[in-house]
Amino acid sequence: MPANGVCSVGLEVVEETATYASGSDSAGVSEDEDVQQLFVSGADRVTSVSLPKKPDTRGGKLSQQPPLDEGRPISDRRYASLPNREQHQQFLTEFLTEVLNSAVFNATDRANKVLNWVDPEELTRTLDLALKDEPDTHEKLLELTRATIRHSVKTGHPYFMNQLFSSVDPYGFAGQVLTDALNPSVYTFEVSPVFVLMEEVVLREMRTIVGYPDGAGDGIFAPGGSMANGYAISCARYKFMPDIKTKGLHALPRLVIFTSEDAHYSVKKLASFMGIGSDNVYAIKTDSVGKLRVDHLESEILRAKAEGALPFMVSATAGTTVIGAFDPLEQIADLCAKYSLWMHVDAAWGGGALMSKKYRTLLKGIERSDSVTWNPHKLLAAPQQCSTLLTRHQNVLSESHSTNATYLFQKDKFYDTRYDTGDKHIQCGRRADVLKFWFMWRAKGTAGFEQHIDKVFANAEHFTSSIKARPGFEMVIEHPECTNVCFWYVPPGLRSVPRDSAEFRERLHKVAPKVKERMMKDGSMMITYQPIHDKPNFFRLVLQNSSLDKADMNYIIDEIERLGKDL
């Protein structure tokens, strides 16, 4: 073995292989001995070991056919799903170098574009996406890699602020690469010993940060915040009426969930998916700054009861998708206690603020919840996707979802099967999303996450104060709570139009879409826009990347003004 401890192993069949002729009734074996040559290649030697191959004794007449790989070198066997140093080392080295240079470092450089816009029809014509019978060369695969990077949006770029995720965290990226290299499925200790334990450590610490006593309870990593909210609905429904698991929906009365009219659409979507029905998700009105109105919540609880329905859950929001509002959690907790309702907090976006002593007060009362959705891939900048469902109830996830499949969750294993945690998930195969987040946490420490949160909030506060002082910029919400800053840009040609006129509203509604079109075609940045309620289209700047500074905030303002001043 070479000094670096690395070797390459390949199997080569060097003799004829016996195969069965179809339609035969007789059985037999070849008198020739099959031999496999095992080649172990190191830095300075190759060893060949002959191993006898057992004859195939299944029924049927043996016929002599040429082996599949006869005469083909190892490096020519492209179908084989096994890394081979001779065949793959150079390719993977060049591939990873291209990814690091183009998709990581160059893609996050402020001097480069966020995207290279190409119309869908043209991209369809120019991008080689066709699937073929014969394999491409490694050179062609590298060319396709470069094309994929070139035409993709660089979501790690500092000026990508279009969704509630961004950045390429170097330690999260490293954890993601290691996850893919190990390719685990986290359901049993026997196949994922490190990741089963790692999940329990991370989830307990997150529960402790939420405020559950001693971090007690349970939790899971889920494939996105929408599914985490669905898990919360499932647990709440089971806790309210356990017969749902075995008897199904026809055994239940009409159940009702309450959530803000500005809540994430997943609450309604998952209620529909789970058979509760979207009509049984009662939308609670919000106030002028986007917070759920507790007075309307109580009146809707009483209305549902008067209708003969059974309310069982309130889904509060800590950081609404558009405005970034935090619902009054303490008052909601009081109502849930009063009416015996499960209190869920969708903190997918705003949960990261819990890491900061200064900003965690935004979520005061979350410690009284029954469950919490918290997505580290949002405000904490972990790579997509990294979502969690946390609950104070120790066994509710298992009780709600386990089926004890004996081919996977055997109870007579030689180790403690409490570590086989997969049965509490509705998934079977499941990625180790924990590794990238754990790796980031170890690299930065809790203190580093706090600094990250404080920085993105400081950027939002600086941006807000800057546009308040700049002519033509107007706030949708005067004092943003989170790092969502919602604002209008009013071009010079529109400033003299009466504000209460239909002309002003119609023209203002068209400004943000046009500016968005121009910024994407220039590739200078990406910021989303939307209307809400009766308000015309406005920009929603979402700040989640802690590498930005005050100069970047000024650039964003100047760029919007440059792109829209003639409208």
Side-chain angles (χ1 to χ4, degrees):
M1 179 172 289
N4 63 5
V6 176
C7 69
S8 176
V9 179
L11 285 173
E12 182 171 2
V13 180
V14 297
E15 77 301 324
E16 291 184 330
T17 302
T19 59
Y20 292 101
S22 60
S24 173
D25 331 308
S26 59
V29 295
S30 170
E31 295 180 358
D32 296 333
E33 182 184 32
D34 290 340
V35 178
Q36 292 178 334
Q37 295 293 330
L38 175 64
F39 292 99
V40 183
S41 60
D44 54 3
R45 66 186 179 88
V46 175
T47 302
S48 176
V49 182
S50 294
L51 300 175
K53 181 180 178 183
K54 293 181 180 179
D56 193 329
T57 56
R58 294 172 295 179
K61 183 178 179 181
L62 293 174
S63 65
Q64 299 296 320
Q65 299 291 340
L68 178 65
D69 292 321
E70 184 176 32
R72 297 178 67 182
I74 293 174
S75 59
D76 208 27
R77 297 178 199 166
R78 296 289 293 277
Y79 67 85
S81 299
L82 185 69
N84 175 276
R85 186 174 295 276
E86 177 186 351
Q87 182 179 1
H88 300 116
Q89 182 170 4
Q90 181 177 348
F91 166 70
L92 288 175
T93 299
E94 292 178 4
F95 173 81
L96 291 172
T97 299
E98 187 67 48
V99 169
L100 286 172
N101 285 335
S102 300
V104 176
F105 294 113
N106 290 342
T108 59
D109 189 329
R110 287 170 175 79
N112 294 325
K113 292 183 176 183
V114 177
L115 74 159
N116 295 290
W117 173 259
V118 179
D119 288 324
E121 294 79 9
E122 182 182 351
L123 190 59
T124 300
R125 290 192 301 271
T126 59
L127 194 59
D128 181 8
L129 297 177
L131 301 176
K132 307 171 184 178
D133 289 337
E134 296 301 317
D136 283 318
T137 64
H138 284 170
E139 291 74 17
K140 179 63 175 178
L141 293 175
L142 291 170
E143 177 188 323
L144 294 172
T145 300
R146 287 187 285 270
T148 300
I149 296 170
R150 181 168 61 252
H151 291 295
S152 293
V153 175
K154 312 308 185 293
T155 61
H157 195 288
Y159 299 147
F160 176 86
M161 297 155 284
N162 204 67
Q163 261 76 44
L164 302 183
F165 71 91
S166 68
S167 80
V168 177
D169 184 272
Y171 302 107
F173 173 75
Q176 186 96 307
V177 171
L178 181 54
T179 301
D180 287 342
L182 294 172
N183 194 30
S185 187
V186 190
Y187 34 53
T188 61
F189 181 82
E190 65 181 282
V191 295
S192 287
V194 174
F195 302 119
V196 164
L197 299 179
M198 188 181 287
E199 282 190 343
E200 296 307 304
V201 169
V202 171
L203 292 168
R204 174 173 286 276
E205 186 63 22
M206 293 178 77
R207 292 193 299 270
T208 301
I209 292 169
V210 164
Y212 296 156
D214 299 319
D218 203 354
I220 54 175
F221 280 79
S226 293
M227 289 303 299
N229 286 338
Y231 272 112
I233 295 171
S234 178
C235 291
R237 186 174 63 174
Y238 176 85
K239 196 77 171 177
F240 185 74
M241 193 165 288
D243 281 351
I244 181 63
K245 183 175 180 180
T246 54
K247 296 181 180 178
L249 292 172
H250 65 273
L252 297 179
R254 182 166 71 91
L255 301 179
V256 174
I257 301 170
F258 306 93
T259 196
S260 156
E261 62 182 340
D262 292 346
H264 193 263
Y265 66 83
S266 59
V267 177
K268 182 173 287 189
K269 179 172 285 192
L270 268 295
S272 176
F273 179 78
M274 296 169 64
I276 293 170
S278 58
D279 287 349
N280 292 316
V281 179
Y282 286 19
I284 308 303
K285 295 177 182 178
T286 54
D287 62 18
S288 60
V289 294
K291 294 175 178 290
L292 178 148
R293 280 177 41 193
V294 177
D295 61 330
H296 188 236
L297 172 60
E298 184 161 26
S299 68
E300 288 294 273
I301 293 171
L302 294 173
R303 177 170 77 89
K305 286 177 171 290
E307 294 169 347
L310 290 181
F312 75 103
M313 178 182 184
V314 176
S315 180
T317 309
T320 56
T321 303
V322 177
I323 301 297
F326 290 78
D327 287 342
L329 301 182
E330 289 191 299
Q331 297 174 58
I332 293 171
D334 290 340
L335 281 183
C336 287
K338 180 177 180 180
Y339 293 104
S340 300
L341 305 177
W342 180 287
M343 179 183 173
H344 175 63
V345 180
D346 178 2
W349 172 230
L354 290 166
M355 304 294 276
S356 166
K357 290 185 285 290
K358 181 177 181 180
Y359 294 101
R360 68 170 288 121
T361 55
L362 291 166
L363 297 98
K364 189 176 181 182
I366 195 171
E367 70 280 357
R368 297 174 62 188
S369 67
D370 292 284
S371 60
V372 172
T373 291
W374 179 0
N375 289 5
H377 74 237
K378 291 187 175 176
L379 205 50
L380 292 179
Q384 289 268 35
Q385 61 192 14
C386 189
S387 305
T388 63
L389 185 280
L390 312 168
T391 176
R392 69 188 314 119
H393 303 284
Q394 182 70 52
N395 298 313
V396 69
L397 281 161
S398 294
E399 292 169 353
S400 302
H401 307 125
S402 63
T403 56
N404 299 305
T406 55
Y407 55 83
L408 193 59
F409 304 111
Q410 304 96 332
K411 300 304 180 185
D412 55 355
K413 293 180 180 179
F414 65 92
Y415 60 85
D416 188 343
T417 57
R418 289 179 301 170
Y419 293 104
D420 288 354
T421 57
D423 208 14
K424 64 186 176 183
H425 295 258
I426 58 173
Q427 295 169 265
C428 182
R430 190 169 58 84
R431 280 176 56 85
D433 287 329
V434 64
L435 177 55
K436 54 202 169 193
F437 185 42
W438 175 86
F439 207 79
M440 287 176 66
W441 208 328
R442 291 297 295 260
K444 301 168 185 283
T446 305
F449 278 137
E450 180 172 23
Q451 291 172 318
H452 166 85
I453 292 296
D454 290 349
K455 179 67 178 296
V456 295
F457 272 87
N459 282 337
E461 290 159 7
H462 176 79
F463 185 88
T464 299
S465 62
S466 296
I467 62 173
K468 285 182 177 180
R470 181 78 71 99
F473 289 85
E474 299 182 10
M475 299 294 295
V476 176
I477 300 295
E478 193 68 18
H479 302 290
E481 284 191 292
C482 200
T483 63
N484 316 42
V485 185
C486 299
F487 62 94
W488 290 285
Y489 173 65
V490 184
L494 189 54
R495 295 173 196 172
S496 60
V497 178
R499 294 302 180 93
D500 58 353
S501 67
E503 179 191 357
F504 180 84
R505 182 181 179 84
E506 290 170 6
R507 288 177 60 184
L508 181 62
H509 191 64
K510 296 176 182 178
V511 170
K514 191 63 180 179
V515 172
K516 176 67 176 289
E517 176 189 346
R518 290 175 174 180
M519 73 172 69
M520 289 188 66
K521 289 182 175 179
D522 282 2
S524 60
M525 61 185 186
M526 282 185 68
I527 299 173
T528 194
Y529 69 87
Q530 65 283 301
I532 191 171
H533 305 312
D534 62 343
K535 294 178 171 60
N537 280 324
F538 55 88
F539 292 103
R540 181 198 63 173
L541 175 71
V542 181
L543 294 169
Q544 176 258 12
N545 189 333
S546 55
S547 72
L548 276 68
D549 54 27
K550 291 181 179 180
D552 295 310
M553 302 301 103
N554 297 334
Y555 167 82
I556 295 164
I557 298 168
D558 292 342
E559 185 67 4
I560 289 176
E561 194 169 53
R562 180 184 75 82
L563 295 168
K565 63 185 178 182
D566 65 329
L567 297 176

